[in-house]
Amino acid sequence: METVSTDVAIIGAGGAGLRAALALAEAAPKLRIALISKVYPMRSHTCAAEGGAAGVIKPGDSLEQHFDDTVGGGDWLCDQDAVDYFIAEAPKELLQLERWGCPWSREPDGSVAVRPFGGMKLMRTWFAADKSGFHILHTLFQTSLKYPSIRRFDEYYATELLVDGACCRGLTAIEMRSGQMRRFDATAVILAGGGAGRIFPFTTNGAIKTGDAMAMAYRAGVPLKDMEFVQYHPTGLPNTGTLLTEACRGEGGVLLNKAGRRFLQDYGMGPETPRGHPVLKTMELGPRDRVSQAFWQEQKKGNMLPTQWGDCMLLDMRHLGEKTINERLPLVRDMSISYMGVDPVRDPVPVRPVVHYMMGGIHTDLRAATPLPGLFAAGECACVSINGANRLGSNSLTELLVFGRRAALSALDFVEQKKDAKPLVAEADRAQARLRELFQRTGGGETVAGLRKEMLQTMEEHAGIYRSGEGLGAACAKLAELRRRYRRIELHDKTNVYNTDLLQALELGSMLDCAEAVVQSAAARRESRGAHQRLDFPARDDRHFLRHSLATYDAGGPPRISYQDVVITKSQPGVRDYSGAHA
Amino acid sequence: MSRAPYERPITSEWIFRHPRYLRYMVREFSCLFIGGWTLLMVWGLHQLSQGPAAWAAFLELLRSPASVGFHLLTLAFALYHSTTWFNLTPKALPVPFIAAAHYAGWAALSVVILALAL
Amino acid sequence: MSERAVELEVLRYNPETDKEPHFQRYALSCPQEWVVLDVLNKIKESVDPTLSYRWSCHMAVCGSCGMMINGEPKLACKAFLRDYRGTIRVEPLRHFPIERDLVTVIDDFVAKLARVKPYLIPKEPPPEGAEYRQTPAQLKRYKQFTLCINCMLCYAACPEYGLIPKYLGPAAIALGHRWNLDSRDGGREARQEELAATEGAWECSFVGACSEVCPEHVDPAGAIQQVKIESTVDWYRAHLMPWTNKQK
């Protein structure tokens, strides 16, 4: 097997992976860095993020307030020491991006502009029109071209981490164009492979969000934390699932039921604010979990607009005017017209909640280190946790930068202390053999598309915005069954060059692991908190569940669920108040 | 190992793949006529230097049907080339009214030349 | 939901089994409002799992799904069935070697992108603890050229690139120009060597196809002509006013 020897291997070249690579290249110019991604970096899903990245810069704002918004928004499941670190680093990271040339939108005086965003008391979301993630990604990628020490392995699909008893020592990856497996010997590995939204059928996530990094860590024995917390973004297009940014509401857009009436005030987010003059942290600028849950409740009452793609609410932006929409929401306008045939300047756009982000992920501490020495993680695939039970919009793009860098520094520390490197040849050969077995398998009877469809159906039906013990039990059983049937998948395509049947089979394996972690963790958490809502346990239960769930791999069976306390420092669990009363 | 990237051969069929390519080639092709006309003018100058008989013969040539046909075609190509060129100018020089300025200049110059000719 | 009959003719190529690419026909029934990408996904899922192609975001921002649809370079996620009649011909993006089926080898573009130094080369150091100031007008000047999603439709449309593979190409030049126009940047001279080379902007004969097919309205053709003018001015200044040249 061809091998690559490197000091640090980064899996995933989106915002977090690229930021880690840059941090390493700048801190240690002689360090060998391998940046490995199953897609070319500019295809990473960071490009689809629209709204912006939060960081305190304006007078009148304070780190304290960003902290409070985040911890409250996360329904007190955030580790407060990590949030403290995150909040403080946020403005520095966003400023660094500006120094690298990111085209942030500006105030008339030339300073960086900020916009209002859901769940935030004050405006602190830096933005680049409505393509913030796109501009951040391209700024990072183009800047990375400056550093020859960042060696890229584009379109390499990482399959397994190589672990000896004590630490992680590298990985195996398939060079997609040739189908050949390579062994990467690395002193430290940083996972930055993104989330797993594709386990649900209606999602803003692109095809590549299949939880491969999460699954790799999981199978190497690293627990997945808080997987039950899946965020629904309230405003996705009902046919494609693609995202209409929260900034639509930040700029003043409102949500209407089929009668053309705003309804969020009926669900604790009132009183109704004047149209076009949003008040932060109430009504349409409430946090995503509350808004999505309000949709579900309103839908139960029969007040949602039935469309050919299911029930929808209406996102009305007409009162913003053509000029504002073209300036601040051009992508939104383009997408609504192209995919829905609706021009937001003239008509309200039908939208509905779609899966968007996974608060949970690979268990790391606030230094982005996993419990496995030599393995670090950052970005959506990781769970520090700064987002707790529900993430505030615009904290995620910042999270990529802060923890991308943090993981890099931790990895660098680790590399500088480590003396021995031991290529794990036998482990790599075993990984190769496992792949070969899948390739050569005949008569299995199962197909990638077939199992995937069943997984999607199960998740949609039983692991949605509102869950029940019965439903989750059914989902757990179903996913265990799918896990077993997965071993009988047979490939239609058994050739080597750019075999996407194989790719999708491997991605399905990752998704099944992630999905099982989600439903098992959800079944065990008998309370409602943030994005995890149980019809049979509708209240928050701090006494038993002010804790992170940890789903640990147990070969051949469902994950073992255990718990870990949340770090509480300054902010004691309180009531999440998104009514106008707090203003 | 088993990779064999395939390079599709390029033929001149690209010109006919979309009207925009044909229009482009017509625009570029115009240079043949305009170049030919320039050569004709140089020839005319040369004939002028050869005395009144040569000059008269040249003017006779210009009046021939072939020459008239050639001039009409050249005028058409020149107009096509000029208008496409002027319309594209704002892309190269994003200055307000630049295309209009070109047309205005063209019109003014044409008036002057016509006045001189008549 | 109303459906319609759809017939795709897709260019297939597997180097392990094929000497050359060949067309394969697929006929199925699909919802009217679908895009070609949705049809490809349905084919892969229920008819032919061996079909390989790139895609991700389905919202025209990742740039993965560029391909030739009825001979025109398009993003498959934005090629609406409603705009097509009869059999739809789907081929990999032109002017790039075919790796497999609809997947092309894009190494050339990736290398060219790196050559134009598409990153900030600051004119001056940033203010202490604060951002560079950039007014909305200054941002507007280069903003449109930042929108390139690297989909390479422009390379497929450009006959120069097809005939002269050494040509830097529309997107790379437009991205170089994006940084030249950024008020914070002072790297125009550093990029000159690539942008003003014979295979740089000067290879362009202003066909304009690139701008016509660009899904993000970046207008690379405009960028290239502007680079031509800039580099001409720079050349004359450097030669007629040598005292203004920076110390090497």
Side-chain angles (χ1 to χ4, degrees), chain B residues 45-63:
Chain B
L45 264 174
H46 171 81
Q47 293 303 82
L48 187 62
S49 74
Q50 303 293 66
W55 178 243
F58 178 70
L59 291 179
E60 199 54 46
L61 171 67
L62 287 182
R63 283 189 211 103

Side-chain angles (χ1 to χ4, degrees), chain A residues 129-314:
Chain A
D130 59 353
K131 290 178 93 163
S132 310
F134 168 82
H135 286 295
I136 290 174
L137 181 67
H138 281 251
T139 302
L140 289 171
F141 172 57
Q142 288 170 15
T143 305
S144 76
L145 298 174
K146 244 191 332 191
Y147 298 96
S149 63
I150 301 175
R151 205 175 145 198
R152 281 207 336 270
F153 294 86
D154 298 325
E155 294 196 324
Y156 277 67
Y157 180 89
T159 52
E160 297 191 26
L161 292 172
L162 298 173
V163 183
D164 70 14
C167 35
C168 177
R169 292 191 185 270
L171 61 134
T172 50
I174 302 171
E175 184 194 28
M176 284 157 57
R177 59 169 69 173
S178 66
Q180 299 309 302
M181 189 171 258
R182 301 272 175 92
R183 192 184 80 231
F184 286 78
D185 296 328
T187 312
V189 176
I190 301 176
L191 290 169
R198 296 299 290 191
I199 63 179
F200 289 89
F202 297 106
T203 171
T204 61
N205 286 195
I208 59 180
K209 299 289 293 292
T210 50
D212 305 299
M214 289 179 180
M216 276 173 71
Y218 176 67
R219 290 177 208 145
V222 177
L224 294 178
K225 192 161 81 195
D226 292 343
M227 288 295 279
E228 62 271 44
F229 297 101
V230 176
Q231 182 170 79
Y232 276 77
H233 192 290
T235 56
L237 289 182
N239 50 1
T240 54
T242 45
L243 176 69
L244 291 189
T245 172
E246 191 156 284
C248 298
R249 289 170 279 139
E251 298 293 337
V254 295
L255 294 169
L256 311 173
N257 64 13
K258 74 179 182 197
R261 184 182 163 269
R262 288 164 81 185
F263 57 92
L264 294 177
Q265 65 275 21
D266 296 343
Y267 301 98
M269 284 173 272
E272 191 174 332
T273 51
R275 197 175 266 247
H277 297 281
V279 172
L280 286 149
K281 226 167 156 174
T282 73
M283 287 301 287
E284 282 83 2
L285 290 184
R288 290 174 182 176
D289 55 344
R290 288 289 173 88
V291 177
S292 300
Q293 287 151 19
F295 170 92
W296 190 92
Q297 304 277 9
E298 190 74 1
Q299 182 191 26
K300 278 268 160 302
K301 292 184 191 156
N303 289 341
M304 283 307 170
L305 187 71
T307 70
Q308 53 180 292
W309 310 284
D311 288 337
C312 292
M313 55 188 168
L314 293 165

Side-chain angles (χ1 to χ4, degrees), chain A residues 446-523:
Chain A
E446 301 284 3
T447 63
V448 175
L451 290 186
R452 187 171 61 210
K453 197 161 175 190
E454 290 188 46
M455 172 192 73
L456 294 172
Q457 261 164 357
T458 305
M459 297 307 283
E460 173 75 359
E461 205 182 322
H462 299 303
I465 300 176
Y466 281 91
R467 302 148 171 183
S468 72
E470 200 185 315
L472 289 171
C476 288
K478 183 66 179 177
L479 284 166
E481 177 204 318
L482 293 176
R483 180 181 10 95
R484 287 189 293 273
R485 287 165 59 194
Y486 178 74
R487 285 191 257 114
R488 299 202 306 273
I489 273 198
E490 189 183 341
L491 297 178
H492 285 246
D493 184 353
K494 296 190 180 169
T495 60
N496 290 295
V497 173
Y498 218 101
N499 183 337
T500 50
D501 190 20
L502 170 67
L503 250 326
Q504 289 195 355
L506 296 173
E507 286 172 335
L508 176 61
S510 301
M511 287 197 281
L512 288 173
D513 280 338
C514 292
E516 202 170 8
V518 170
V519 298
Q520 287 284 349
S521 305

Side-chain angles (χ1 to χ4, degrees), chain B residues 3-4 6 8 20-21 24 91, chain C residues 13 92-93 98-99 157 205:
Chain B
R3 285 186 72 210
Y6 185 86
R8 285 161 284 183
R20 74 167 77 92
Y21 298 117
Y24 163 75
K91 279 192 190 273
Chain C
Y13 174 66
L93 213 54
I98 309 178
E99 186 78 73
S205 61

Side-chain angles (χ1 to χ4, degrees), chain A residues 257-395:
Chain A
N257 64 13
K258 74 179 182 197
R261 184 182 163 269
R262 288 164 81 185
F263 57 92
L264 294 177
Q265 65 275 21
D266 296 343
Y267 301 98
M269 284 173 272
E272 191 174 332
T273 51
R275 197 175 266 247
H277 297 281
V279 172
L280 286 149
K281 226 167 156 174
T282 73
M283 287 301 287
E284 282 83 2
L285 290 184
R288 290 174 182 176
D289 55 344
R290 288 289 173 88
V291 177
S292 300
Q293 287 151 19
F295 170 92
W296 190 92
Q297 304 277 9
E298 190 74 1
Q299 182 191 26
K300 278 268 160 302
K301 292 184 191 156
N303 289 341
M304 283 307 170
L305 187 71
T307 70
Q308 53 180 292
W309 310 284
D311 288 337
C312 292
M313 55 188 168
L314 293 165
L315 175 59
D316 190 359
M317 293 175 273
R318 291 172 293 178
H319 50 283
L320 302 184
E322 189 166 0
K323 185 162 179 291
T324 301
I325 291 178
N326 282 344
E327 207 172 277
R328 297 200 157 195
L329 301 169
L331 175 65
V332 165
R333 186 176 186 192
D334 183 31
M335 277 173 59
S336 303
I337 294 174
S338 301
Y339 294 104
M340 290 297 291
V342 175
D343 186 350
V345 169
R346 273 176 262 290
D347 294 299
V349 186
V351 293
R352 69 138 184 239
V354 287
V355 168
H356 182 59
Y357 179 86
M358 308 214 30
M359 271 68 74
I362 301 166
H363 172 41
T364 73
D365 61 16
L366 58 73
R367 289 168 46 252
T370 70
L372 179 60
L375 186 66
F376 306 85
E380 193 183 348
C381 74
C383 180
V384 186
S385 162
I386 55 148
N387 296 310
N390 168 65
R391 173 176 74 75
L392 294 185
S394 74
N395 266 351

Side-chain angles (χ1 to χ4, degrees), chain C residues 70-91:
Chain C
N70 280 358
E72 264 284 274
K74 289 212 78 117
L75 295 177
C77 69
K78 261 198 142 173
F80 293 90
L81 290 180
R82 59 179 178 249
D83 296 330
Y84 297 93
R85 296 262 164 281
T87 308
I88 304 174
R89 207 171 70 251
V90 182
E91 299 163 278

